[in-house]
Every structure is written in structure tokens, then in C-alpha cells.
Amino acid sequence: MIKVAPSILSADYVNLQKDIEKVEKAGAPYLHIDVMDGTFVPSISYGPGFVKAIRSITNMVLDVHLMVESPEHILPMFIDAGADIIGVQVEATQHIHRALQIIKNGGVKAEVVINPGTPVAMIEPVLHMVDQVLVMTVNPGFGGQKFLPETVDKIAQLNAIKEEKDYNFDIEVDGGVNDKTVVDCYKAGATVAVAGSYVFNAEDPSERIKALEDATK
């Protein structure tokens, strides 16, 4: 069964605490937080203060995805804010190994992220040091996009490397995830699914979380 990570990018910011409480009570283990700088992606979102505030109101695993140029400069702030997992885009830094080292040295789980147009080979040299790999199943920066089916091959490639090398990282998918698209991802080896609009745009988010879990049993 897949682990569900509701993305607050699609939550109601005015009633954010209530929305977080809903998905926590529904049993979702992770809360996905997209940090965007307006440069690596067109959108702008939250900073470390936002993560710190959320840390104070939930016991969920805070899964922070940095869509930020040169993330190594701001990693200590997100470590101090209480993130449990921090993901950095391989395309956003010339120093992916250093960035992941900073995260690990801060006592936080490290994640490497690849966009739809980036081959798995780009991250193979650092797979031995990560706790999670995030495969973007849409182009990053906006919620509500349609799932790109060609990205499923990347999940399978990563899973093959994981089994061959006896690595134990989670494989996370993000973008256009629903109870239909999650099935192929799960079969290919995905273990965590980020879901934004699919969960938070529903009248009852708990039903959508259960639908994702049930689809991957």
C-alpha cells in the first residue's frame, strides 16, 4: 500500500490548520510542502518560517520539496525549521552531492528530485546517500496538472537500481496523482504518492486518501 503525502499547495490557506488536521486524522503519514523561489519555477510559495509554524501544529512527517536555485545556501534554515525530509532538485544545483551532505549532516532525511525531462542517470551517482527519490510526474511549479505517463518508466528504472544495489530509498511521485494514475506508479515501484488537488479539492479529503491506499493494496 502506498504512503500518501497530501500537498498543502492545494489546501485552503485561510483554514490551513483545519485542512492539516483533516488529513492527519485520515491517517496520511506525510505532509508535502512545496517551496518555490520564482526563479527555478515561476511560482513563489513558502519560506522556513512557514515550515516552522506547521511543525508546531502537527506530528506528520514534513516532506519539504525545494524548487529553488542553489538550495545549499538555504538548507540550514529548513533543517532548523523542523523538516523531516528535504528534497533538492538535481537541475537546480551544481553541487548536488554537497547539498545532500548538508541535509544528512543536519540529521534530516535527504531526497533528490528529478524533473520529467531529466534522465535517471543524472542522479545515479548520489543514490547511495539518499533516503528518498522524488520523480516529478508533471513539470514542477503548478498544481492541478495532468499526469505524464512516460514518467512511469523512470520509476521502474529507479526500482531496478534499488534492487540491484540493495538500496533502501523510498520512491515518491508528485503530479497528477489520483486513484487511477497511482496504480501504474505503485506497480513500477513507487512507495510514496504526493496528492494535492485530488485530496484537498474533495469534500471529504479522507475518502480520497483511502481511495489512493485502496488502489495500491
Side-chain angles (χ1 to χ4, degrees), residues 23-217:
V23 296
E24 185 168 16
K25 284 176 184 174
Y30 289 16
L31 192 67
H32 192 78
I33 304 172
D34 286 311
V35 176
M36 301 182 282
D37 65 354
T39 301
F40 182 71
V41 291
S43 302
I44 297 174
S45 66
Y46 337 103
F50 193 82
V51 175
K52 186 177 182 180
I54 292 174
R55 176 76 290 162
S56 70
I57 61 168
T58 184
N59 291 317
M60 296 174 78
V61 173
L62 299 188
D63 177 24
V64 178
H65 173 198
L66 300 184
M67 289 176 262
V68 174
E69 290 286 350
S70 303
E72 55 271 20
H73 301 306
I74 60 169
L75 285 169
M77 292 187 280
F78 285 94
I79 292 168
D80 292 343
D84 295 296
I85 303 168
I86 299 178
V88 289
Q89 297 266 169
V90 68
E91 307 90 353
T93 176
Q94 296 181 50
H95 305 286
I96 189 63
H97 190 282
R98 182 194 300 169
L100 294 169
Q101 269 187 331
I102 292 168
I103 298 168
K104 298 288 279 186
N105 290 343
V108 174
K109 289 184 176 180
E111 172 186 70
V112 64
V113 189
I114 53 172
N115 282 339
T118 303
V120 168
M122 283 283 289
I123 60 170
E124 205 163 344
V126 297
L127 288 178
H128 68 282
M129 65 190 299
V130 301
D131 302 284
Q132 190 161 279
V133 179
L134 172 53
V135 177
M136 291 302 298
T137 47
V138 298
N139 286 299
F142 301 99
Q145 295 184 67
K146 191 175 179 182
F147 180 85
L148 298 172
E150 62 268 27
T151 56
V152 174
D153 286 344
K154 282 194 206 176
I155 301 166
Q157 286 178 51
L158 280 163
N159 196 48
I161 294 168
K162 179 179 170 180
E163 290 180 356
E164 181 191 343
K165 304 276 190 180
D166 199 27
Y167 294 152
N168 62 357
F169 54 78
D170 274 309
I171 300 174
E172 184 174 51
V173 292
D174 182 4
V177 172
N178 57 41
D179 59 333
K180 304 294 189 298
T181 57
V182 76
V183 175
D184 285 343
C185 295
Y186 182 70
K187 286 178 179 175
T191 53
V192 184
V194 177
S197 53
Y198 177 74
V199 168
F200 284 115
N201 289 0
E203 281 189 30
D204 185 359
S206 65
E207 287 185 1
R208 293 290 177 87
I209 291 168
K210 188 175 185 301
L212 291 170
E213 292 172 342
D214 287 349
T216 55
K217 279 183 177 175

